[in-house]
Amino acid sequence: MSAPVAIPGLDTTVTDHARLRAWVADMAALTTPDEVVWCDGSDEEWRRLTDQLVESGTLVRLNEERKPNSFWARTDPSDVARVEERTYICSESEEDAGPTNNWMAPAQMKNIMTQLYRGCMRGRTMYVIPFCMGPLNAEKPMFGVEITDSAYVVASMRIMARMGSEVLTAMGDDADFVPAMHSIGAPLEPGQADVEWPCSQTKYISHFPETREIWSYGSGYGGNSLLGKKCYSLRIGSAMGRDEGWMAEHMLILRLTSPQGKVYHVTGAFPSACGKTNLAMLEPTIPGWKVETLGDDIAWMRFGEDGRLYAVNPEYGLFGVAPGTDYKTNPNAMRTIAQGNSLFTNVALTDDGDIWWEGMGEPPAHLIDWKGQDWTPESGELSSHPNSRFCTPIKQCPILADSYDDPRGVPIDAILFGGRRATTIPLVSQSRDWNHGVFQGATLSSETTAAAVGKVGVVRRDPMAMLPFIGYHGGDYFRHWIEMGKGKDGSGETDKLPAIFYVNWFRRGEDGGFLWPGFGENSRVLKWVVERLEGTADAEETPIGYVPTPDSLDVDGLDLTAEQLAAALAVNPAEWRQELPLITEWFEKFGAKLPGVLWAELDALKARLSAE
Ligand code: GDP
Ligand code: PGA
Ligand code: MN
Ligand code: MN
C-alpha cells in the first residue's frame, strides 16, 4: 500500500522507528492529507493549534483573568457522547468478543473502514501523536501513537496523556506501541469552507485486541477520539491484562490518611457519570481525615513483589462531567480548572468570557448555551449538555498525591464497586470474601446516564462498571477476576488482597430525593471502610454482605434523621428477591464461560435470602 506519495511533513520525523514510519506512511497514502505533522507536545505547538482552532471557530478563548489559556468548544449536537452501538471488538472469533460487545471479523471491519479512510483527510492535516499511558520511566512503558486529523484531539491528548518528543525519543527505533488511528471523517474539497465541528454521521470505534490496534472514525467526542483513554487503557488494556496477568479497570484511585496518620489506598469502579471524579477529589467533612487524588477514571493494577495489588493511573489529565461540579460539591475540581490550561466542551459561555453549567451556583442572567444560542434562566432548557466535560491537567489538582508519578503504583487496600440505583442497594456493604466481591461486581447494576448515547435512567447490569469497556468475553473477564483472587502467581495469599465493598450514593427516599447527602460526606463511608480493615467497626451480617450498624457509621454533625439513615442502609429481602431472576438472566448470557464460582455465589445468596 505504501506507494510513494509526496506529502509535506511525512519524512521530516526525527524517528528511526521503522514500523512507526511505515505505518504513518501507509495511513498517509490511504487518507491523503495535505500535510503530516509530528507532534512534539511543546507550548509553542499548543499555542499554534489553539490559535488555529480559534481561527476556525472550533474554540473560543476564555477570559485570561478567569480561565487563563483555556478554551470553550461546542460539538455538533449529534457528537456529544460515547457511541456504544458503534463500538466494536473485532477479535478473530466472535466467541472471543462475548455477549456484551458488538463484533465484526477483523478483515471485514478493516475492509469497511479502509473504504471510509480512503481520502478522508483530504484538505486536512494529519497529526502524529506519540504518547505513553502511565509513567515514561515504567519498567515497560506503555506506548501508543495516535494519528488524527483533528487539532482539537491533539490539544486534548496533550492534556490527557504524556505525549510528544520525549515519548518519541523513549520509543527508540523498535519499541512496541499500539497504533491508534483516528479520523473525524470529514474531508474538505478545494475551496470548501470548514464547519466549526466537523464529524461524520457514520461512526465506527473499532478495536482489534489480538493485534492491539485501534481504528476510530467519524466522531470528535473525547471518549471516541482520545484513543489513549477508553480504547487503549480499557478495551485493549483489559485484553493485555488478561494475557499478562494484570487488570485494566474503570476505577478512580485515592489515597486516604486517617487522623492517626495511617495511609490507605482505595480504588472505586462506578459507571460513567456515577461519581468517580467526585470521590477521587473528595474533601472530607470529618475532622482529621485527608484524601489525595491519584486518578479519576482508570486504574491499571498489577501484583507487586510483596504480593499486594498495586494501581497506576495511566492518564495525565481529568476529563470530568461538568454539570454538578462546583465549590460545594467538588471544590478541588474547581481549583484545578481555575488554574487554566483547560478545554471545556458543551458547557455554556458567560458574557464575561467564563464558563457556566447547571449546578454552578445561581444562573447568570444571560449565557450562550452549548448549542450556540442565547440562553436565559427562563429558557426552560439546559444551558450545558448533561455530558459536557472539563479537560484539565491532573498536575493542577491541588490534592494530587506525590505518588502519582510512581511507576510502581500504590498498594490497594480496598476496592469499591458502586452504581446509581434509586432502590435496593444500600449505602455500603462489605463483601464476605473476594469471590463474593467479584459476584457483587459482576452483578453491579446502574441507571444509564448521558455519558453514552441512548436512553437515560434505565437500569442495566454494568459488571465492574466495565460493560462498555471489556475488550474480550465477559465470562473470561469474570474468570480473570477470580484468578487474581488467588494472589500473585496463584500463591493463595488472599489476606494481601484488597477488601471489596459495594456502595450506592444514589438511593432515593419516598419524597424522591437522595437519602444520602453524598459528595464530601462520602468520607464517612470511607472511614467505615478503613475501620473495617482495622477491625474496629461493627457490621451486621445480612444476606448480601456486611452492612454498617447504625452506630458504626459516623454521622456526627450530619443533618440526617435516624429513619433516613436506616432507609439508606436497609437491606430489604423482598427487593433483593426481585433481583434474583434478573441476575440469573444476566448470568445465562455468558453460557459455559460463566465461572461456576459465580453460580455458587448466586445459589448461596438465594439460600441466605430465603432464610430471612
Ligand atoms: P464519573 O463520571 O463517574 O467520574 O462521575 P462524576 O464524579 O463526574 O459525577 C457524575 C455526576 O454525579 C455529577 O453530576 C456529580 O455531581 C454527581 N455526583 C457525584 N457524586 C455524587 C454523590 O455522592 N451524590 C450525588 N447525589 N451525586 C453525585
Ligand atoms: P466518566 O468518563 O467515567 O468520568 O464519565 C468518561 C466515560 O466513561 O465516558
Ligand atoms: Mn469513564
Ligand atoms: Mn469522571
Side-chain angles (χ1 to χ4, degrees):
M1 198 162 54
S2 44
V5 276
I7 298 175
L10 186 55
D11 283 322
T12 53
T13 170
V14 287
T15 183
D16 293 324
H17 197 300
R19 180 180 158 223
L20 173 57
R21 292 181 67 129
W23 175 62
V24 171
D26 280 351
M27 289 301 133
L30 175 62
T31 60
T32 63
D34 283 357
E35 184 193 4
V36 174
V37 169
W38 293 75
C39 299
D40 60 14
S42 63
D43 290 344
E44 192 280 319
E45 180 178 86
W46 166 270
R47 265 195 302 276
R48 182 165 45 81
L49 292 178
T50 51
D51 281 352
Q52 187 186 311
L53 285 160
V54 167
E55 177 94 2
S56 67
T58 306
L59 295 183
V60 169
R61 183 180 287 278
L62 296 175
N63 183 323
E64 269 306 308
E65 279 174 16
R66 290 166 194 272
K67 295 284 181 305
N69 192 27
S70 297
F71 301 87
W72 177 62
R74 295 187 300 106
T75 71
D76 185 284
S78 69
D79 199 21
V80 294
R82 286 184 290 99
V83 282
E84 295 182 2
E85 284 308 310
R86 308 299 305 163
T87 301
Y88 288 81
I89 299 298
C90 304
S91 43
E92 287 296 338
S93 126
E94 180 167 6
E95 156 95 310
D96 288 334
T100 61
N101 288 307
N102 300 311
W103 175 84
M104 200 186 285
Q108 190 188 352
M109 181 61 86
K110 286 196 168 168
N111 215 345
I112 292 173
M113 291 189 73
T114 298
Q115 301 311 322
L116 293 170
Y117 281 147
R118 182 157 290 131
C120 74
M121 295 191 185
R122 216 161 44 240
R124 297 193 185 276
T125 300
M126 171 192 273
Y127 299 96
V128 183
I129 314 167
F131 65 92
C132 181
M133 299 314 292
L136 202 50
N137 62 347
E139 202 176 312
K140 184 181 164 239
M142 302 294 272
F143 294 116
V145 179
E146 176 159 353
I147 288 177
T148 181
D149 51 6
S150 160
Y152 168 88
V153 167
V154 180
S156 304
M157 280 294 282
R158 187 188 189 241
I159 297 173
M160 293 306 298
R162 295 162 176 91
M163 57 80 91
S165 304
E166 226 191 326
V167 175
L168 191 61
T169 304
M171 284 176 66
D173 57 13
D174 68 348
D176 223 357
F177 69 96
V178 170
M181 175 65 190
H182 172 254
S183 172
I184 51 176
L188 284 172
E189 301 313 325
Q192 186 186 340
D194 207 354
V195 294
E196 287 173 6
W197 188 269
C199 64
S200 167
Q201 292 313 307
T202 304
K203 294 178 172 54
Y204 283 97
I205 319 295
S206 302
H207 307 73
F208 305 91
E210 282 115 353
T211 50
R212 318 282 202 229
E213 293 170 282
I214 301 158
W215 284 22
S216 170
Y217 181 88
S219 169
Y221 170 76
N224 304 321
S225 69
L226 313 181
L227 304 184
K229 190 175 179 58
K230 303 300 186 181
C231 299
Y232 183 160
S233 294
L234 289 176
R235 300 198 189 94
I236 297 292
S238 63
M240 290 173 161
R242 169 204 55 190
D243 296 345
E244 299 167 7
W246 53 279
M247 309 170 98
E249 298 296 333
H250 191 203
M251 289 177 173
L252 70 100
I253 315 169
L254 64 83
R255 171 183 160 113
L256 184 64
T257 309
S258 74
Q260 292 73 37
K262 287 203 75 178
V263 172
Y264 296 91
H265 294 99
V266 178
T267 62
F270 315 156
S272 304
C274 293
K276 291 182 300 301
T277 300
N278 275 268
L279 192 70
M281 305 177 86
L282 163 144
E283 203 162 66
T285 52
I286 44 178
W289 290 80
K290 186 163 105 179
V291 165
E292 291 162 280
T293 307
L294 284 138
D296 81 320
D297 198 45
I298 301 177
W300 281 352
M301 297 194 291
R302 294 180 170 84
F303 281 113
E305 288 304 321
D306 60 359
R308 298 184 68 191
L309 207 48
Y310 285 70
V312 167
N313 172 14
E315 301 194 275
Y316 207 49
L318 306 165
F319 185 69
V321 175
T325 308
D326 84 340
Y327 278 99
K328 282 206 203 73
T329 56
N330 193 348
N332 288 314
M334 298 302 285
R335 292 174 192 131
T336 307
I337 60 175
Q339 293 176 60
N341 312 310
S342 304
L343 300 178
F344 299 91
T345 303
N346 288 337
V347 305
L349 180 70
T350 67
D351 290 349
D352 54 359
D354 204 347
I355 39 90
W356 192 86
W357 48 67
E358 276 67 30
M360 196 199 283
E362 285 302 305
H366 176 259
L367 295 166
I368 304 294
D369 70 13
W370 74 277
K371 291 179 177 161
Q373 311 282 325
D374 286 305
W375 184 95
T376 68
E378 288 74 47
S379 293
E381 278 185 47
L382 296 174
S383 72
S384 304
H385 188 275
N387 192 40
S388 54
R389 299 271 169 167
F390 56 82
C391 178
T392 193
I394 199 168
K395 286 284 170 87
Q396 291 180 188
C397 174
I399 58 161
L400 188 69
D402 55 9
S403 42
Y404 163 78
D405 275 315
D406 189 336
R408 290 165 305 180
V410 294
I412 301 305
D413 299 287
I415 293 173
L416 313 182
F417 290 124
R420 185 184 281 269
R421 284 292 304 268
T423 67
T424 318
I425 315 291
L427 177 63
V428 57
S429 64
Q430 182 181 6
S431 70
R432 302 165 67 85
D433 54 26
W434 180 271
N435 283 353
H436 180 235
V438 175
F439 175 81
Q440 287 181 321
T443 58
L444 194 141
S445 53
S446 198
E447 293 152 19
T448 50
T449 67
V453 171
K455 218 168 165 265
V456 168
V458 184
V459 174
R460 69 172 185 184
R461 299 287 140 185
D462 191 340
M464 285 81 173
M466 281 285 282
L467 181 69
F469 310 121
I470 301 171
Y472 55 103
H473 194 295
D476 290 333
Y477 172 77
F478 297 148
R479 185 170 307 279
H480 186 47
W481 265 87
I482 303 276
E483 286 305 313
M484 294 295 285
K486 295 176 181 163
K488 182 176 162 65
D489 306 320
S491 64
E493 291 178 310
T494 51
D495 56 325
K496 294 190 170 167
L497 292 171
I500 299 178
F501 297 80
Y502 190 173
V503 301
N504 178 21
W505 316 140
F506 300 95
R507 198 172 194 177
R508 290 177 189 267
E510 273 164 12
D511 63 355
F514 293 119
L515 282 165
W516 179 252
F519 302 104
E521 305 296 359
N522 293 334
S523 55
R524 299 168 188 276
V525 174
L526 293 177
K527 178 181 174 184
W528 185 80
V529 164
V530 161
E531 289 174 348
R532 289 298 291 169
L533 299 174
E534 293 179 345
T536 56
D538 277 343
E540 187 192 338
E541 186 176 349
T542 78
I544 63 143
Y546 300 95
V547 175
T549 57
D551 295 339
S552 66
L553 196 69
D554 180 353
V555 289
D556 220 31
L558 199 60
D559 183 19
L560 196 71
T561 65
E563 291 71 40
Q564 283 169 323
L565 180 61
L569 292 173
V571 176
N572 179 341
E575 277 181 327
W576 276 92
R577 278 187 211 107
Q578 289 173 24
E579 293 281 303
L580 295 173
L582 303 175
I583 295 175
T584 305
E585 191 187 324
W586 167 242
F587 276 0
E588 280 169 351
K589 276 184 194 287
F590 300 90
K593 289 231 188 212
L594 193 93
V597 190
L598 293 181
W599 281 120
E601 286 291 339
L602 178 58
D603 288 341
L605 174 63
K606 276 185 199 158
R608 290 194 300 268
L609 280 170
S610 57
E612 280 294 296

